[in-house]
């Protein structure tokens, strides 16, 4: 969604573009076993500045909770402490 506006008057006028939301930077593409129901990000420690994990809750799949680590690459995490065959909730 974009909205174009004309601002100002005379030689000080300009055209502005307003965009809804934030721009998206695609870092990884991965096929999921089914459509995600919810997605959360988590920090490793409460004092961390940035999130370390992406938690994806899946429906109608043998794996219902998928955890991905965020860093230079995005990779699946095997020993994350969540039950992969149970539905996840927002933590």
């Amino acid at each position: 969604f974009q909205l174009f506006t004309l601002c100002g008057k005379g030689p000080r006028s300009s055209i502005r573009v307003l965009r809804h939301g934030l721009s998206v930077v695609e870092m990884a593409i991965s096929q999921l076993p089914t459509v995600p129901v919810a997605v959360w990000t988590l920090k490793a420690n409460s004092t961390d500045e940035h999130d370390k994990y992406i938690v994806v809750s899946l429906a109608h799949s043998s794996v219902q909770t998928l955890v991905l680590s965020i860093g230079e690459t995005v990779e699946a995490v095997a020993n994350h402490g969540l039950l992969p065959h149970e539905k996840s909730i927002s933590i």
Side-chain angles (χ1 to χ4, degrees), residues 10 14-15 23 30 33 36 42 44 46-49 52 63 74-75:
S14 63
I15 186 169
S23 61
S30 178
L42 300 173
S46 61
T47 57
D48 290 347
E49 184 177 350
K52 185 172 181 178
V63 175
V74 177
E75 299 175 347

Side-chain angles (χ1 to χ4, degrees), residues 34-51:
T34 185
V35 176
V37 176
V39 178
W40 300 280
T41 58
L42 300 173
K43 295 180 179 184
N45 298 301
S46 61
T47 57
D48 290 347
E49 184 177 350
H50 301 287
D51 292 325

Side-chain angles (χ1 to χ4, degrees), residues 31-88:
Q31 292 290 353
L32 296 174
T34 185
V35 176
V37 176
V39 178
W40 300 280
T41 58
L42 300 173
K43 295 180 179 184
N45 298 301
S46 61
T47 57
D48 290 347
E49 184 177 350
H50 301 287
D51 292 325
K52 185 172 181 178
Y53 301 104
I54 300 172
V55 179
V56 182
S57 181
L58 304 167
H60 312 295
S61 174
S62 61
V63 175
Q64 294 189 3
T65 301
L66 178 64
V67 180
L68 306 168
S69 67
I70 307 168
E72 292 295 320
T73 61
V74 177
E75 299 175 347
V77 177
N79 299 324
H80 45 70
L82 297 175
L83 301 173
H85 301 292
E86 299 293 329
K87 294 181 180 179
S88 58

